[in-house]
Each structure stands twice: as structure tokens, then as C-alpha cells.
Amino acid sequence: MSSPEIASLSWGQMKVKGCSTTYKDCKVWPGGSRTWDWRETGTNHSPGVQPADLEEVVKKGVKTLVIGRGMSEALQVPQSTVDYLKKNGIDVLVLQTEKAVAEYNALAARGVQEISLNCCWQAGNGCETSYWSSLSDDLNIVPTMFNVKC
């Protein structure tokens, strides 16, 4: 199953190709997408993305997860969350949101399967961008986030 392309991105809005929903924060995975509602797990910019935010994607069997930290990189991604993903055999890229979407779309365009994207559009204080895990050309990556049927 292929990953849906991110059709457009602007401050506070993201559109997934083939889906009529406009997202503020979203999860995208092979064959689907949905709103990333931070209230489900009590997420805040700090301490940031927790394993509970990503369980849904992990259960879908993704091999690569791209996490967007927001336009101003206010959303934190603790090392414990990265360790959780790696323990589950998932490569992780943590980038500023515009870079995360570009990387995700590039991976999807290459036909990489089992990719997921978690993106945050929130404004906030700039924080240093982190990058974990190198990707090899043989990885199969597909977008993975939120379960909205489009």
C-alpha cells in the first residue's frame, strides 16, 4: 500500500492528497490519515511527543517515522521516545515541519513503503532540530499518521 502525498502545507494547515480534510496537526500512514489530537494523550510542546502518541503508528507496522516538530520547532521529541521507536525497529527522522513534509514526500515518491508522518504546526520558541537514524535506499517507507478515511 502506498503512502498518501502531502499536497500542501502552510502555517496551521496541511492537506493530504485525496483527502478533503484540512489538518492542523496530523498523522499519515500508508492508506490513511487523521487529525493528531494532542488531548488524547495529554501532549504538550514540552516534554513533547511520548510513546503513547506513536503507538497507533507502531501497531501499523511502519519501518520509518518522520516527526515534524512544528514550524518553529517548539514540539520536543525526548530521547526516550526515540529509544522506544528504535526498540520497535523503527527508523526515526525528527525535523522542522516543512523539512519533515519534504522528506516524507520524497520518500513516498521513491515508493518507500511503511512510512509514517506525525506533524505539528504549532508556533513556539525555536529549538534545535534533531536528526536520528540514517535511511538507506532499500528501506520501504510509507506515510503513517491518523486514521481518517478519505
Side-chain angles (χ1 to χ4, degrees):
M1 185 175 292
S2 65
S3 299
E5 176 186 340
I6 305 306
S8 67
L9 169 66
S10 62
W11 197 277
Q13 295 185 23
M14 185 171 96
K15 298 274 300 173
V16 175
K17 188 173 184 177
C19 182
S20 61
T21 303
T22 299
Y23 299 110
K24 178 178 178 185
D25 300 320
C26 75
K27 295 181 181 183
V28 181
W29 62 87
S33 64
R34 80 170 178 98
T35 296
W36 181 9
D37 184 349
W38 291 18
R39 294 172 294 182
E40 292 173 348
T41 58
T43 300
N44 287 301
H45 288 111
S46 181
V49 181
Q50 301 299 306
D53 295 306
L54 306 173
E55 285 178 13
E56 174 181 21
V57 174
V58 170
K59 289 178 182 177
K60 292 184 181 294
V62 300
K63 300 296 181 203
T64 302
L65 176 62
V66 181
I67 300 174
R69 295 188 52 218
M71 298 298 236
S72 298
E73 299 180 84
L75 181 63
Q76 300 299 299
V77 181
Q79 186 62 45
S80 58
T81 298
V82 173
D83 293 344
Y84 162 77
L85 293 166
K86 288 186 176 209
K87 180 181 172 188
N88 282 282
I90 299 171
D91 287 317
V92 184
L93 293 167
V94 180
L95 303 165
Q96 185 268 354
T97 290
E98 291 166 307
K99 292 176 183 176
V101 167
E103 183 66 23
Y104 168 85
N105 276 346
L107 292 168
R110 286 190 4 223
V112 178
Q113 300 296 309
E114 300 159 353
I115 315 168
S116 178
L117 173 70
N118 256 6
C119 272
C120 164
W121 312 107
Q122 303 291 331
N125 297 331
C127 301
E128 184 176 331
T129 299
S130 301
Y131 177 89
W132 289 279
S133 179
S134 60
L135 292 174
S136 62
D137 289 333
D138 62 344
L139 283 178
N140 287 326
I141 302 176
V142 175
T144 304
M145 289 310 179
F146 294 140
N147 208 354
V148 165
K149 301 283 182 178
C150 297

